[in-house]
Amino acid sequence: MANAQRKTWISTIRRILTFLFASLVLAGVTWAFVDSIPLATDEYRILAFGLYGAFLSIHLIIQSFFAFLEHKKMKRNNQVCSYTKSVALTISAYQEDPVYLRECLESIKNAHYPPDKLKIIMIIDGNSADDQYMMDMFKEVFADEDVGTFCWENNYHSWKPGNAIRSPSFAGTMGNSSEFRQRPDTIYEETDGQVFQVSTTYDNMIRGNQEQLEDLPEANFELEYEIEVGDPIIYEVEHIIKTKRCVCIMQKWGGKREVMYTAFKALGDSVDYVQVCDSDTKLDPLATVELVRVLESNDRYGAVGGDVRILNLSDSYISFMSSLRYWIAFNVERACQSYFDCVSCISGPLGLYRNDLLQTFLESWYNQKFLGTHCTFGDDRHLTNRMLSIGYATKYTARSKCYSETPAQFLRWLNQQTRWTKSYFREWLYNALWWHKHHLWMTYESVIAGIFPFFVTATVIRLFFSCHLWDILWVLICIQLIATVKALYACFLRGNLIMIFMSLYAVMYMSGLLPAKYFAILTMNKSSWGTSGRKKIVGNYIPLLPLSIWWVILFAGLLYTVIKMSLCTSCRLIDPEKVYLIYGSGAYVFYWVFMVSLYWLCVKRCCRKRASYYDVQGQT
């Protein structure tokens, strides 16, 4: 009792101190942003470097430094995998491009992990004739393995002919049953091909006093009981998954979370670790081994993610820029988080969880609600958050690699980013409840990352309506300078000059991703997969609305500034400002012309674009 009280007091104190720390960080950053204290300026106060800019620079330096240290730790880790842990590799599939799906399955087949310790499970979100090709491909690739397949008319949560049947006479219903399948504390009755789960508070009394009950008059035994109806196919699905090495299940459409739940639930406690993978992901042969090595190295590690690269980087400018952004996100941002044992998201294409821990929060993970709506996206981030909520560390390793498909068209990319942003802000609120259980870096970074888009928006709008053309150009130059510095560091860390093109990502962020964040916040409780299957053309144009509004605001600001400068003498350019404007505009335009030309010469012409789009029905 004393020990429990002590832990409660420690937890309370940590909560208070963490809250105070978060408030201090928020107040400090807000003060630096609002006060705009210049630390360095020219004699005309046209160029200025303020306190907020200095803070962001220091933040990037610190983040990059700890990411560098984590990569050094990864390289020094020489622990050998024991190959004794059983792993279930689960694949979530939905209307997948056959080319990507085959590459995914072939890469899994070639995984360097003992076959007797590796179980492969693919769950298809859909059971129509249009989805059959995925199961056929699975059977073809694993034809020489112990394969089990099943087409399920329902899923774990869709079969509802009646949740409960009330009966006035327990004895009468018992007399009509044809067979009983008994599990601990549960009686199953099978009648006319359906299985009924019978639960009653009188079970122990009936089993222990059966002879006495038989002597009672039937009229006096009018006990009401409840029969919970369950899909009898569930037990067959679970039996196949637990007994076969390679399993493919087609089930009624329910979204990605439903697909993941089926694999997790059916596995139960039959394996040590559960690996997640998407159907558009090509795994490195050592991907599973490297993930297992990390979890084996420390019992405090509850989950680990790997390095996700882009499979179709040559498809378009969007996919190429995404490939660079992915590298930064994993090898700088998540590597830094991993140094402090608090990776915020174990990515869906490549992640590994301790199964015993996962099973403890499986139901709460699936039944997550936000603003009264059942959550069906952000599955991976919430799964990570659940692991963090019970106090276990989450890690990242660059030694485990995979290659995944990313949207090549702008609209599909925008829909994907909108969906991810929805889950980010929703999970940010949930994650804040557990800051006290982890290193202060998680609190600090969450606060900084959470408020950054709002400060950027406020800065851009304020300068566009400042009545000075130089202010508008200056904010564009500053954004590009920061992006270029990050790109140069990425070149050093990766050892590849291709990362210099990461500086071009700034325009994608400012023109598309930033306004999409506000749309995501306003529609946070809208649930869907967000990104359509690979064989469908995206038909959701609504995310273009916030972009249109954003560009109207910026154009209005530019127009207001031009008109104000022409009418107001105090807003007109002074001579030094004219010089800055001319040289700054020239440098900005030259930079973009040079970088775009370099992209076309060194990247676009050297990368082989996929010749045509593969349609499932064989149409191009």
Side-chain angles (χ1 to χ4, degrees), residues 455-519:
F455 283 0
V456 171
T457 304
T459 300
V460 171
I461 292 177
R462 177 171 59 86
L463 293 178
F464 264 72
F465 283 87
S466 66
C467 304
H468 292 282
L469 278 177
W470 168 250
D471 288 344
I472 296 176
L473 180 61
W474 179 236
V475 71
L476 296 176
I477 291 175
C478 286
I479 291 171
Q480 206 58 55
L481 279 173
I482 294 172
T484 303
V485 170
K486 288 186 69 174
L488 289 172
Y489 172 73
C491 290
F492 162 75
L493 189 61
R494 188 175 182 177
N496 192 334
L497 288 176
I498 198 71
M499 293 303 298
I500 192 62
F501 291 103
M502 182 62 199
S503 62
L504 304 182
Y505 185 80
V507 71
M508 288 177 62
Y509 180 88
M510 295 300 300
S511 63
L513 188 52
L514 184 61
K517 289 180 181 293
Y518 294 94
F519 175 75

Side-chain angles (χ1 to χ4, degrees), residues 188-225:
Y188 294 96
E189 173 187 337
E190 184 171 332
T191 306
D192 297 329
Q194 295 183 344
V195 173
F196 301 89
Q197 178 182 340
V198 182
S199 60
T200 171
T201 57
Y202 301 98
D203 283 354
N204 293 333
M205 180 179 69
I206 291 173
R207 286 193 291 268
N209 303 283
Q210 186 67 37
E211 294 181 359
Q212 296 179 26
L213 290 172
E214 289 175 353
D215 294 334
L216 293 175
E218 184 174 349
N220 295 332
F221 194 60
E222 296 292 328
L223 303 177
E224 285 197 356
Y225 70 99

